[in-house]
């Protein structure tokens, strides 16, 4: 199965979610993912997944151009 190429909307939402996840890491003062506790890792992943969905939804509902 060939890897899926992300659409422009998906790439923008993913980058925005990465920014939110980065802010989470800053808030706990950790930047090396290998040092995260199990709970911090779960929160990091939760932040990425939820932020991606929120950012994607907002882009599509607000008819934001994919550029």
């Amino acid at each position: 199965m060939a890897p899926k190429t992300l659409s422009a909307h998906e790439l923008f939402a993913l980058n925005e979610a990465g920014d939110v996840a980065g802010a989470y890491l800053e808030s706990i003062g950790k930047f090396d993912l290998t040092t995260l506790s199990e709970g911090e890792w779960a929160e990091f992943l939760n932040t990425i997944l939820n932020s991606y969905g929120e950012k994607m939804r907002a882009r599509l509902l607000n008819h934001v151009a994919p550029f």
Side-chain angles (χ1 to χ4, degrees):
M1 179 181 211
K4 181 183 183 293
T5 301
L6 297 178
S7 73
H9 282 297
E10 291 169 327
L11 285 173
F12 276 107
L14 186 60
N15 286 327
E16 292 172 333
D19 291 342
V20 176
Y24 166 70
L25 292 175
E26 284 182 18
S27 76
I28 63 170
K30 292 188 177 180
F31 304 98
D32 181 351
L33 298 181
T34 64
T35 66
L36 297 179
S37 69
E38 186 175 338
E40 291 166 338
W41 177 249
E43 184 60 27
F44 175 73
L45 293 178
N46 189 45
T47 299
I48 291 173
L49 291 174
N50 286 332
S51 295
Y52 175 80
E54 291 167 6
K55 301 298 183 180
M56 180 64 107
R57 204 168 16 264
R59 293 187 70 77
L60 295 176
L61 292 175
N62 294 317
H63 306 287
V64 176
F67 48 84

